[in-house]
Amino acid sequence: MAAPRVTMEVGNDGVAIITLINPPVNALAIPIVAGLKDKFEEATSRDDVKAIVLTGNGGRFSGGFDINVFQKVHGAGDVSLMPDVSVELVVNLIEDCKKPIVAAVEGLALGGGLELAMGCHARIAAPKTQLGLPELTLGVIPGFGGTQRLPRLVGLSKAIEMMLLSKSITSEEGWKLGLIDAVVTSEELLKVSRLWALDIAARRKPWIRSLHRTDKLGSLSEAREVLKLARLQAKKTAPNMPQHQACLDVIEEGIVHGGYSGVLKCLLLLRAPEFDLYEAKVFKELVMLDTSRGLVHVFFAQRATSKVPNVTDIGLKPRGVRKVAVIGGGLMGSGIATAHILNNIYVVLKEVNSEYLLKGIKTIEANVRGLVTRGKLTQDKANNALKMLKGVLDYSEFKDVDMVIEAVIESVPLKQKIFSELEKACPPHCILATNTSTIDLNIVGEKTSSQDRIIGAHFFSPAHVMPLLEIVRTERTSAQVILDLMTVGKIIKKVPVVVGNCTGFAVNRAFFPYSQSARLLVSLGVDVFRIDSAIRSFGLPIGPFQLLDLAGYGVAAATSKEFDKAFPDRSFQSPLVDLLLKSGRNGKANGKGLYTYEKGSKPKPDPSVLPIIEECRRLSNIMPGGKPISVTEKEIVEMILFPVVNESCRVLEEGIVVRASDLDVASVLGMSFPSYRGGIVFWADAVGANYVYTSLKKWSQLYGNFFKPSRFLEERATKGIPLSAPVSSSSTSRARL
């Protein structure tokens, strides 16, 4: 691949075309930033240049600043690696240029790309161009002047929405808002941009420096009210993420003291050597925080999941999957079917009788209608999606399917029977997938002779919404089948993570201690609702007991049995779920759980469960001296999550995942572990393996083997090796087979 570069061509009309070239999205790498400075200086000094057009190569303007630089900054701990773009380039060389500059925008202009365009004196865009400032998703704020220019171009409320929610808009909406000056066809983009730039030079069109504008900001009192409401909302939705409040601080600085002051902390002469780059200063402070480190790690970790040794690197090409059969129209099956039809894959839904089939089809229709209601899908697309669905009661439609996904109840005999039938009913190339969340795939396919085609397609509920697809392979699953399912996963907008075969696979296996440690704490005398509150404060959307209510006690009891059987040496068997079931409770499903559920209001702790909890403690009989233990909120979080880290260590040692970062991605996308903490393994390394180890060792001495540190954790902690470091080749590595 050619090195990133910036080119400049001067036409006979006196317009210099400056082009960004850094495929695939023209990211603003360090050489691109340096090249832009050189070309703008050259264009400004040349007498034959009357005006300038800035554009991107290959149908894309720019996807923003090169995120690889963030990785280098985090690795080196040196923020000086970040270049000065905000003032030196965007203000001095672009916005304050003595010659007019027009941005010719196509495909996308995101992050620093849009900030460059906003520094220009006009913006012409091709249709459907994506415009946005998504920097907050990486733990930072727009650092090239975007916090000041966007409110001045689209209005304060819309700018806050776009930045705080990282919400992009199209060029058509941008034109209505005033961010874009004209939308023209791709073929006319450069021609119109050149003429526009010449018109500005001849004073036929206005020469606008967006940092000077105030007409869309409203009065100071109105702006402060908008900012106040935004702060309150950010505290609710992003309580542990400092970049949201920092972004609002920087916006306010510019509104109160003027646009330049938002970029430069004080109202000093722009090129005075002592100025304080406020926006850039805040950006650089944020980029060094753990929040940014965690979010950037997840970004790159998610990219890495698409690389699977001996699958994606051996020259195989994915086969097309055009028709999929789904067996079982319950909650999971209907969600899986929905995910496929929404992405133009024909689905045959099979059920055992007409009643269940009709119920499954209605659930799918409701899923699709819900997306229309929420504005995430047009009615036309919804109608087309539902045309891709057919319900059946037998295998007659299976003769030409490319993949079958079984999504029935967790019953080994039933699954074995289905797979024996599928082997006869489906063509020999057909992928045979199961959505089981716990059962060993070798047992599922035991009675077939097609074990090279058997694979796990573990979706997370609701399957058409949750982004993770855990692809489970056995020692016999062919590389072609794995690659095909990875490809389908991407088509249906999932993030596929390939894992090895064991009870619970990667995510449920690593997180089985999560609910057990919460119940152990209850048996030790800790308040149920205090536990949930502590976990929510840490950053998970709900605590373990509200999750228990949501999943249902029957499911929890069945799952616990599987893990108790597989890992008896480190399971804690609490009587709590059985006691709740005996009392006629089943969580949210029947409206009777640890919480009360009333339509239109948030779940509330149910005080009537307290006698059941007391009975649980009496039966467990593990409180030291019969008295509740005293723990802080921090200790609650650690006593629940450190056992998850411990089991994650076993998952890593056994090679159930290809790399530690795969488990980070799976924990974020499958278990809603806070992304700004980087995933379960990344977070554990940030806390320190030795601290995790010594804590677990102390608790195991006090409360038993449930907390006993694994061999892998002990070894890493005592040798000072990060948990995320690659596992030695001598270790068992089923996931790499």
Side-chain angles (χ1 to χ4, degrees):
M1 188 180 288
R5 66 193 190 281
V6 179
T7 63
M8 185 175 81
E9 289 181 13
V10 181
N12 294 331
D13 57 359
V15 177
I17 306 291
I18 295 177
T19 306
L20 308 168
I21 305 173
N22 187 15
V25 295
N26 297 322
L28 301 176
I30 303 288
I32 293 286
V33 173
L36 282 169
K37 289 175 182 175
D38 289 344
K39 297 304 178 191
F40 276 113
E41 283 172 352
E42 183 187 342
T44 303
S45 63
R46 280 176 60 164
D47 293 336
D48 60 335
V49 173
K50 298 175 189 174
I52 303 164
V53 169
L54 175 63
T55 192
N57 187 52
R60 292 181 174 92
F61 186 72
S62 173
F65 187 65
D66 183 4
I67 302 170
N68 290 294
V69 179
F70 285 51
Q71 265 196 326
K72 289 174 186 171
V73 168
H74 292 155
D78 183 6
V79 77
S80 69
L81 294 171
M82 301 294 296
D84 175 14
V85 179
S86 183
V87 172
E88 194 179 335
L89 175 60
V90 184
V91 174
N92 292 1
L93 292 176
I94 298 179
E95 193 163 51
D96 282 0
C97 183
K98 303 303 178 193
K99 297 173 182 179
I101 304 171
V102 172
V105 181
E106 185 176 8
L108 49 78
L110 299 172
L114 181 58
E115 290 178 284
L116 278 185
M118 289 192 293
C120 297
H121 306 117
R123 287 151 295 283
I124 313 301
K128 307 286 185 237
T129 300
Q130 192 182 358
L131 311 167
L133 296 178
E135 284 87 345
L136 273 73
T137 60
L138 294 173
V140 295
I141 63 170
F144 302 168
T147 60
Q148 306 309 309
R149 292 186 181 89
L150 191 61
R152 286 165 170 75
L153 288 167
V154 302
L156 181 58
S157 293
K158 185 66 182 179
I160 288 172
E161 178 193 324
M162 286 176 69
M163 285 186 270
L164 265 60
L165 301 180
S166 296
K167 187 177 178 184
S168 62
I169 60 172
T170 63
S171 47
E172 287 79 2
E173 187 180 350
W175 176 74
K176 288 175 186 172
L177 291 165
L179 178 58
I180 298 297
D181 293 283
V183 177
V184 301
T185 64
S186 296
E187 294 76 18
E188 292 184 307
L189 182 61
L190 276 182
K191 178 187 169 187
V192 172
S193 299
R194 297 177 91 117
L195 291 171
W196 202 289
L198 289 169
D199 281 349
I200 295 174
R203 305 295 178 180
R204 289 189 293 269
K205 287 193 186 296
W207 191 318
I208 297 169
R209 293 179 174 87
S210 56
L211 207 55
H212 290 254
R213 289 183 60 176
T214 58
D215 53 297
K216 291 192 176 182
L217 294 179
S219 69
L220 188 56
S221 60
E222 287 170 338
R224 281 186 159 146
E225 188 59 31
V226 169
L227 287 161
K228 180 184 172 185
L229 291 171
R231 285 184 203 284
L232 291 171
Q233 185 64 21
K235 277 179 185 172
K236 283 182 189 173
T237 57
N240 297 325
M241 292 196 263
Q243 68 269 33
H244 291 70
Q245 298 297 335
C247 185
L248 293 167
D249 288 346
V250 176
I251 292 169
E252 184 169 23
E253 176 73 25
I255 287 170
V256 173
H257 298 296
Y260 277 107
S261 189
V263 177
L264 317 172
K265 169 88 171 177
C266 307
L267 287 171
L268 300 168
L269 285 173
L270 183 58
R271 292 173 179 79
E274 68 271 19
F275 63 64
D276 180 3
L277 301 169
Y278 186 41
E279 183 190 64
K281 176 175 174 284
V282 173
F283 176 93
K284 288 179 178 181
E285 286 170 356
L286 288 168
V287 84
M288 295 306 291
L289 295 182
D290 287 343
T291 306
S292 178
R293 290 174 188 270
L295 290 165
V296 169
H297 170 73
V298 170
F299 176 87
F300 283 104
Q302 193 166 315
R303 282 185 171 186
T305 59
S306 63
K307 294 174 184 174
V308 180
N310 301 319
V311 174
T312 58
D313 56 357
I314 56 174
L316 291 175
K317 291 186 178 176
R319 298 173 297 183
V321 173
R322 295 175 186 85
K323 185 176 179 182
V324 171
V326 177
I327 300 179
L331 182 67
M332 287 306 299
S334 58
I336 292 166
T338 305
H340 285 81
I341 64 171
L342 285 171
N343 292 284
N344 211 33
I345 296 176
Y346 190 81
V347 171
V348 176
L349 179 70
K350 182 185 179 298
E351 258 297 358
V352 291
N353 59 46
S354 299
E355 182 191 344
Y356 285 177
L357 182 59
L358 185 61
K359 190 178 176 186
I361 290 171
K362 283 187 173 175
T363 304
I364 294 166
E365 288 171 348
N367 289 343
V368 174
R369 275 199 310 272
L371 293 171
V372 174
T373 304
R374 294 196 296 277
K376 298 195 181 249
L377 193 69
T378 66
Q379 190 59 57
D380 279 351
K381 285 184 178 175
N383 294 338
N384 290 335
L386 291 170
K387 286 175 187 172
M388 304 292 289
L389 176 68
K390 182 176 183 179
V392 298
L393 296 172
D394 57 33
Y395 291 116
S396 57
E397 289 281 338
F398 283 46
K399 59 184 179 296
D400 60 348
V401 295
D402 300 305
M403 178 166 70
V404 179
I405 303 174
E406 166 271 307
V408 302
I409 59 170
E410 296 285 71
S411 161
V412 170
L414 177 59
K415 288 180 188 289
Q416 287 181 336
K417 177 176 179 289
I418 288 169
F419 273 81
S420 294
E421 293 168 350
L422 289 174
E423 194 173 28
K424 296 169 192 154
C426 301
H429 75 275
C430 179
I431 299 165
L432 306 177
T434 173
N435 181 54
T436 181
S437 58
T438 51
I439 301 172
D440 188 317
L441 265 64
N442 290 318
I443 296 170
V444 171
E446 196 173 62
K447 298 186 177 177
T448 74
S449 57
S450 304
Q451 295 197 12
D452 61 324
R453 292 192 279 150
I454 290 175
I455 194 165
H458 182 209
F459 290 80
F460 291 74
S461 186
H464 62 294
V465 175
M466 291 293 280
L468 180 65
L469 172 59
E470 200 176 29
I471 295 177
V472 188
R473 60 175 171 187
T474 70
E475 291 89 342
R476 298 184 192 179
T477 308
S478 79
Q480 184 67 61
V481 165
I482 297 165
L483 182 67
D484 291 345
L485 186 51
M486 288 175 70
T487 306
V488 173
K490 289 171 186 172
I491 289 168
I492 63 173
K493 299 178 177 62
K494 304 295 177 195
V495 177
V497 176
V498 177
V499 303
N501 180 34
C502 66
T503 300
F505 316 130
V507 183
N508 287 346
R509 160 82 183 274
F511 275 80
F512 93 82
Y514 175 72
S515 55
Q516 292 198 3
S517 53
R519 291 171 215 168
L520 190 151
L521 280 180
V522 168
S523 292
L524 287 169
V526 183
D527 179 66
V528 163
F529 306 113
R530 187 174 170 229
I531 290 169
D532 271 4
S533 175
I535 293 297
R536 284 196 307 272
S537 295
F538 176 79
L540 275 85
I542 57 175
F545 293 106
Q546 197 180 337
L547 181 64
L548 176 65
D549 269 7
L550 196 63
Y553 302 154
V555 172
T559 306
S560 290
K561 246 177 230 175
E562 288 292 329
F563 287 114
D564 292 345
K565 190 166 65 178
F567 312 115
D569 59 316
R570 55 185 184 274
S571 284
F572 174 71
Q573 296 178 18
S574 164
L576 180 60
V577 172
D578 286 339
L579 289 170
L580 289 164
L581 281 166
K582 280 175 190 171
S583 71
R585 295 171 187 266
N586 194 24
K588 193 177 179 183
N590 70 350
K592 294 177 182 177
L594 293 156
Y595 291 81
T596 57
Y597 297 89
E598 292 173 15
K599 201 170 182 181
S601 64
K602 289 182 179 179
K604 291 174 187 161
D606 185 355
S608 70
V609 299
L610 296 178
I612 299 170
I613 292 167
E614 284 305 318
E615 176 65 6
C616 166
R617 287 174 183 149
R618 188 187 68 77
L619 291 171
S620 298
N621 193 29
I622 61 168
M623 286 194 291
K627 292 180 180 178
I629 64 168
S630 174
V631 284
T632 63
E633 306 291 303
K634 179 173 175 280
E635 286 170 326
I636 289 172
V637 169
E638 291 173 352
M639 290 180 83
I640 287 175
L641 290 178
F642 284 4
V644 176
V645 172
N646 202 23
E647 197 60 35
S648 297
C649 288
R650 296 184 178 99
V651 167
L652 294 173
E653 185 179 33
E654 293 171 25
I656 300 300
V657 288
V658 174
R659 55 187 77 80
S661 63
D662 284 2
L663 195 50
D664 285 330
V665 171
S667 68
V668 169
L669 300 182
M671 297 302 294
S672 299
F673 192 86
S675 56
Y676 56 85
R677 297 194 188 275
I680 189 69
V681 183
F682 184 89
W683 172 71
D685 273 337
V687 170
N690 193 56
Y691 178 67
V692 176
Y693 167 69
T694 53
S695 300
L696 286 167
K697 191 175 179 184
K698 177 183 74 178
W699 298 329
S700 66
Q701 290 162 356
L702 290 170
Y703 310 121
N705 274 349
F706 176 80
F707 290 108
K708 185 180 177 183
S710 66
R711 183 184 63 190
F712 183 91
L713 174 59
E714 182 178 8
E715 184 182 301
R716 294 280 166 121
T718 52
K719 291 182 179 177
I721 304 169
L723 300 180
S724 56
V727 179
S728 66
S729 57
S730 60
S731 299
T732 304
S733 189
R734 273 180 271 169
R736 291 186 177 86
L737 285 172

